[in-house]
Amino acid sequence: MRSARHPHASPSSQPPPDARAAAIRQALSVSAATGVYGISFGALAVAAGLDLWQTTALSLLMFTGGSQFAFIGVLGGGGAAGAAVATAGLLGARNALYGAALAPLLHARGARRALAAHLTIDESTAVATAQRDPDVARTGFWWTGLGVFVLWNVFTAVGALVGDALGDPTRWGLDAAAAAAFLGLLWPRLASRTAQGVAAGAVVVALALTPLAPAGVPILAAAAVAVVVGWRDPGPRLHGHDHDDRHDDDDGPGGPPAPGPAPTSRGARTGPAARPWSRVRPGAGA
Amino acid sequence: MSAYAATWVAILAASAVCFLTKLVGHRVPEHWLAQPRVARVAALVTVALLAALVGVTTVVTGASLAVDARLVAVAVAAVALALRAPFVVVVVLAAVVAAVLRALT
């Protein structure tokens, strides 16, 4: 049945055309919001010591924002290339879960599947899984994936040129901007108390190991906190429910300040709140 | 191998790792990765790495801890995030705060 289908044919009933148009509009707005902050990636990559070609290669070939920021963050902090690769790879691990959720929707094979895999990021997954109709979900995925890809790469190049022209990065506060970028990527993921505890523990581990271990290693070691907690914790689900959100707002114990209500849980811009990617604010985690 | 070439090798290797991770997700049966424990660990690893990167980029210089304009800038960024400022605004704000503090001191 799958093989006999035309790529553009609908399974049984035609989805309403306005649902498709809405998905495309959503895809375009997410693409614009995400693409624009490619400027900050480009500028920060140059500030971390990469040249224009290396910076654009990262956005073209790696194309997963969190990993890209982590890669330049580790290198910029004097970390070894191996530590940068490991950190970027670990941060990209969530994309495997996104792929597993998308594959049954996309039914892509061969080169098309490879392209779908490359375009599997927070935003394309969020838009695709927010749609009710599988056909519209496919539309949402491809429009978002391709839209973010094009704009992210264009704005990365713009940012790299700007960063190059600025010269000394610390004079312009670009080192602080890099730290703020990581905080911005982290923020929408801090909704649950477990996540807040892990974040606090990770900071402590990374800073405690800094004088003892080579640069880059303390960051990787912090990931162990997550593995230990995530493996053992049988408790409330991370991606919580709305009542958890409200509860968490009231008292963020220790560690990072309690976040505001998860941006997507009430706006429903990116779908069901019980999914990991639905936490991710469009434009905050390519 | 020069540092420049090593960076290129790292870029290509990390890109390959990230792509293969995505591809594996598309190829394995969904239920393998749908286990709550796997999803929980993956989500928390993302949180831990990003939090560690925040900490290190905010107060580490070389191999030691150093409090400077970055810490103030990141505190301002946190306030902006709490007020739901867009990502780009947060990043630019932090840069401006750090740059102004350094120009003044």
Side-chain angles (χ1 to χ4, degrees):
Chain A
M1 146 184 160
R2 195 176 286 166
S3 55
R5 220 164 72 201
H6 278 276
H8 298 293
S10 295
S12 50
S13 62
Q14 202 66 244
D18 47 330
R20 188 182 297 275
I24 292 174
R25 270 199 308 277
Q26 191 178 26
L28 293 179
S29 66
V30 168
S31 301
T34 308
V36 167
Y37 85 85
I39 290 189
S40 51
F41 173 73
L44 295 175
V46 170
L50 270 58
D51 70 10
L52 174 65
W53 302 112
Q54 293 172 328
T55 302
T56 48
L58 271 178
S59 278
L60 278 170
L61 301 176
M62 191 179 288
F63 189 55
T64 173
S67 296
Q68 292 179 228
F69 276 107
F71 185 89
I72 62 166
V74 172
L75 282 189
V85 173
T87 308
L90 269 180
L91 253 181
R94 69 188 189 287
N95 289 327
L97 303 182
Y98 297 169
L102 287 169
L105 288 173
L106 297 177
H107 301 312
R109 290 287 176 272
R112 213 175 151 83
R113 174 157 63 186
L115 181 62
H118 193 51
L119 299 179
T120 296
I121 53 172
D122 294 325
E123 288 80 8
S124 57
T125 308
V127 172
T129 55
Q131 314 303 326
R132 264 185 211 166
D133 183 284
D135 233 38
V136 178
R138 277 191 285 282
T139 304
F141 172 81
W142 289 109
W143 277 81
T144 310
L146 290 169
V148 173
F149 185 79
V150 169
L151 293 177
W152 178 252
N153 278 289
V154 167
F155 282 106
T156 293
V158 171
L161 291 171
V162 170
D164 231 7
L166 287 178
D168 177 18
T170 57
R171 198 181 136 213
W172 300 96
L174 289 186
D175 51 343
F182 288 121
L183 188 63
L185 293 172
L186 172 65
W187 200 268
R189 302 175 196 276
L190 286 178
S192 81
R193 252 203 254 177
T194 311
Q196 293 164 15
V198 165
V203 171
V204 169
V205 167
L207 296 185
L209 288 177
T210 290
L212 310 172
V217 173
I219 294 165
L220 282 171
V225 175
V227 174
V228 170
V229 173
W231 193 261
R232 298 180 52 180
D233 174 30
R237 299 168 36 135
L238 282 182
H239 317 305
H241 309 289
D242 286 332
H243 61 86
D244 289 334
D245 292 341
R246 236 161 276 136
H247 182 67
D248 282 342
D249 289 340
D250 298 328
D251 45 20
T264 52
S265 65
R266 59 165 61 155
R269 258 201 295 184
T270 51
R275 310 219 160 200
W277 45 85
S278 69
R279 282 266 170 253
V280 178
R281 180 170 45 172
Chain B
M1 187 162 52
S2 70
Y4 183 74
T7 301
W8 267 115
V9 170
I11 287 170
L12 297 178
S15 299
V17 168
C18 287
F19 174 72
L20 290 174
T21 304
K22 294 169 171 179
L23 193 61
V24 162
H26 279 263
R27 294 189 68 119
V28 302
E30 190 182 12
H31 64 265
W32 287 13
L33 293 175
Q35 302 192 20
R37 181 171 279 175
V38 174
R40 212 164 51 215
V41 170
L44 288 179
V45 163
T46 304
V47 167
L49 289 172
L50 290 173
L53 283 159
V54 172
V56 167
T57 51
T58 304
V59 293
V60 171
T61 303
S64 54
L65 307 188
V67 171
D68 57 27
R70 290 173 298 176
L71 188 60
V72 180
V74 169
V76 171
V79 172
L81 283 164
L83 297 175
R84 294 164 171 262
F87 185 91
V88 177
V89 173
V90 171
V91 171
V92 171
L93 191 62
V96 169
V97 169
V100 168
L101 280 176
R102 283 174 185 150
L104 292 176
T105 52

